[in-house]
Amino acid sequence: MRAQRWLPNASLAAVSLLALSSMPAQQSKVEMKSIPDVAPDGARMFRSYCSACHGPGGKGDGPAASALKTRPANLTRLTANHGGVFPANSVLVSLRTGGGTHGSSEMPVWGDVFRQSNYSESDIFMRTYNLVRYVESIQDTAPAPKADPVTPARLRKITDVRPSMGGEMFRSYCSSCHGVDGRGAGPAAAGLKTTPPDLTHLRGPDGKFPFAKVESLLMRPDAGVHGSTEMPLWGDLFRRTGEGVDLRKLRTHNITRHIERLQQ
């Protein structure tokens, strides 16, 4: 691939870099102090920054995908979805500035992330450019496959996980952000604006695990602590499954019981 396909002339590149360099820092959508210091190789950066959500092959099936409200895009179908032409310019703008298509509360704008990590504007451009080149290299131009009648594990519905198994539900619903051990270091944690809390040190005024409070926070729509745009409110989600109130309470109770077992 040649850079000329994306940037017709050096003047356009200079204007783009100048515009980005003048962007106020407070406009950043991502509140991340640092990211792994990965060499600016497109494939290596994709594995470090993108694969948790988009999957190692870019198909939207990363380990954190099931925890997100919006399913990550299948990045291998961009060319097929744009009339056989890879939309390099729009992807580059999206990665660097958001561009209206990337950078929601669940999807970091990598230009902003690199900027907060004190990279120079030329390095930011090189990194995002190499990421886009790598995404172009994994394009699948074959006809869209027929839908698989078997539901993959990552797309399991809430009702597919047994309400009697608190640990299984925690791994399915919570571990992508909070981590399997509950310490807040799940594969999706780095992409969130607010770091998931460590759930292994929850104590009430009496020094004991506040079981009733945690259970209530998971269930109540007005709790104000859980259920932001990044944190699903499981009481609401269980309610939408059509299950009876007793089964919903059982699910929440058993998740809370599992969190209690995680305490250190």
Side-chain angles (χ1 to χ4, degrees):
M1 182 194 309
R2 296 181 179 178
Q4 287 86 340
R5 284 181 54 191
W6 302 0
L7 301 173
N9 52 58
S11 297
L12 179 56
V15 170
S16 298
L17 290 173
L18 179 62
L20 282 174
S21 64
S22 63
M23 182 182 297
Q26 60 267 30
Q27 289 185 2
S28 173
K29 297 181 182 179
V30 182
E31 300 173 3
M32 299 169 63
K33 294 182 180 179
S34 64
I35 56 174
D37 188 14
V38 178
D41 171 72
R44 189 175 304 180
M45 287 191 296
F46 188 91
R47 288 192 297 271
S48 296
Y49 308 145
C50 313
S51 63
C53 294
H54 289 286
K59 295 185 178 181
D61 55 357
S66 62
L68 304 179
K69 289 192 173 185
T70 302
R71 180 181 174 181
N74 181 347
L75 300 179
T76 71
R77 301 297 296 174
L78 295 177
T79 295
N81 294 338
H82 287 79
V85 179
F86 181 70
N89 276 327
S90 62
V91 176
L92 180 64
V93 171
S94 178
L95 286 173
R96 296 179 70 203
T97 66
T101 56
H102 200 275
S104 70
S105 61
E106 296 180 312
M107 301 275 283
V109 180
W110 289 108
D112 286 351
V113 176
F114 293 145
R115 190 170 293 107
Q116 290 189 16
S117 298
N118 296 319
Y119 286 107
S120 67
E121 290 300 326
S122 60
D123 198 12
I124 291 170
F125 179 83
M126 175 180 64
R127 287 176 174 273
T128 51
Y129 175 84
N130 287 346
L131 268 175
V132 177
R133 290 190 64 183
Y134 176 74
V135 172
E136 184 175 25
S137 74
I138 62 173
Q139 291 305 294
D140 177 9
T141 57
K146 295 182 179 180
D148 187 348
V150 178
T151 302
R154 65 182 174 81
L155 297 179
R156 287 186 303 178
K157 298 179 181 179
I158 285 174
T159 51
D160 292 335
V161 184
R162 293 173 293 175
S164 61
M165 303 298 292
E168 184 178 351
M169 287 189 293
F170 187 90
R171 288 189 293 273
S172 294
Y173 309 148
C174 315
S175 65
S176 290
C177 295
H178 290 285
V180 174
D181 59 3
R183 296 179 183 274
L192 303 179
K193 287 187 175 183
T194 303
T195 302
D198 183 343
L199 301 179
T200 67
H201 292 84
L202 302 179
R203 299 286 186 274
D206 59 357
K208 298 180 180 180
F209 176 71
F211 191 98
K213 182 177 181 179
V214 173
E215 187 177 36
S216 176
L217 292 177
L218 289 174
M219 282 293 295
R220 288 172 47 210
D222 60 343
V225 177
H226 202 271
S228 69
T229 56
E230 296 180 313
M231 301 274 285
L233 189 68
W234 292 112
D236 282 351
L237 294 182
F238 294 151
R239 191 174 295 109
R240 296 172 195 169
T241 65
E243 294 179 337
V245 64
D246 290 340
L247 198 53
R248 296 199 300 267
K249 287 182 178 179
L250 177 63
R251 287 184 179 278
T252 307
H253 179 87
N254 286 336
I255 287 181
T256 307
R257 185 66 68 193
H258 178 74
I259 294 174
E260 182 180 33
R261 287 195 289 268
L262 294 176
Q263 299 308 298
Q264 302 293 316

